[in-house]
């Protein structure tokens, strides 16, 4: 596990997502996964509303069956190869957790701020996985927007913010273009 605080900035600068389809064992065991989720929950959250939930997907076969049902609802004439591709996300990576946006009624805290908080939880989970020397990836894909999947997993107004895959890198991680701070950061006035 990462344990050199003096090199933390460099370590954070090295973080990048892994591709879920390339992830291999080892992934987090049950205790490590709970520790990762606990770290992810240490997230700014105006009003202490906790507008987020995690759903651990242990039974991958059941999740695959749900994805198949959801895919066929929208694509009743799908060919077997298309169904196979659609349910592939159910079998990727050693660990899979869904992050849900769970908006809470509040006279004071706008939903926008609650959405910001769930995004921060997602980022925090990626960082936590990295600190534990795992790779992680945040994917929404089609399943996050499927009403069939949502109805099976969410309650009330919850929405799927993403599927979080955690494991070890089976392939070298690819870097992606990072923004030029000169284009992103400005001074005011
Ligand atoms: C909300 C959200 C949803 C995403 N959904 C997908 C997706 O469905 N498919 C995909 O290839 N990448 C998706 N991405 C992007 C991946 O997470 C991407 O690999 C990541 O942004 C790489 O950045 P990083 O290396 O800094 O983590 C999504 C990102 C976010 C924030």
């Amino acid at each position: 596990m990462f344990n050199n605080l003096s090199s933390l900035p460099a370590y954070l600068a090295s973080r990048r997502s892994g591709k879920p389809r390339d992830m291999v064992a080892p992934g987090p065991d049950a205790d490590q996964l709970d520790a990762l989720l606990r770290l992810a929950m240490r997230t700014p959250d105006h009003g202490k509303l906790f507008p987020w939930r995690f759903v651990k997907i242990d039974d991958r076969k059941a999740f695959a069956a749900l994805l198949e049902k959801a895919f066929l609802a929208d694509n009743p004439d799908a060919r077997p190869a298309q169904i196979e591709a659609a349910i592939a996300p159910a079998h990727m990576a050693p660990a899979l957790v869904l992050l849900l946006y769970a908006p809470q009624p509040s006279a004071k805290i706008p939903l926008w701020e609650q959405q910001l908080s769930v995004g921060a939880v997602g980022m925090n989970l990626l960082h936590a996985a990295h600190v534990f020397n795992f790779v992680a990836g945040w994917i929404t894909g089609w399943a996050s927007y499927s009403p069939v999947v949502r109805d099976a997993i969410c309650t009330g107004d919850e929405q799927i913010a993403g599927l979080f895959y955690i494991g070890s890198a089976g392939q070298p991680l690819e870097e992606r273009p990072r923004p030029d701070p000169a284009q992103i950061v400005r001074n005011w006035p």
Side-chain angles (χ1 to χ4, degrees), residues 13-151:
S14 72
R15 191 211 58 80
R16 64 191 68 161
S17 291
K19 287 187 183 145
R21 66 170 174 269
D22 292 339
M23 289 181 198
V24 295
D29 62 25
D31 288 345
Q32 287 174 318
L33 185 57
D34 286 345
L36 294 179
L37 300 185
R38 193 176 283 271
L39 288 174
M41 289 181 230
R42 291 186 66 92
T43 287
D45 160 28
H46 192 180
K48 295 180 278 297
L49 298 175
F50 316 127
W52 14 265
R53 301 287 182 271
F54 296 105
V55 179
K56 297 189 272 189
I57 306 289
D58 292 332
D59 187 341
R60 299 298 190 95
K61 279 190 186 164
F63 192 56
L66 173 61
L67 292 190
E68 180 168 347
K69 182 176 142 194
F71 187 69
L72 286 173
D74 281 340
N75 305 277
D77 302 323
R79 287 178 281 109
Q82 292 172 309
I83 298 171
E84 200 176 320
I87 67 173
H91 297 298
M92 293 171 181
L96 171 58
V97 177
L98 272 54
L99 172 63
L100 307 185
Y101 170 51
Q104 302 299 308
S106 167
K108 189 177 160 210
I109 315 299
L111 292 177
W112 163 238
E113 296 191 16
Q114 300 187 40
Q115 291 167 2
L116 293 174
S117 185
V118 72
V121 169
M123 184 69 245
N124 227 11
L125 179 55
L126 297 182
H127 277 307
H130 186 57
V131 169
F132 272 67
N133 286 336
F134 293 116
V135 291
W138 179 351
I139 299 292
T140 43
W142 67 271
S144 296
Y145 300 101
S146 158
V148 174
V149 176
R150 189 185 59 226
D151 288 352

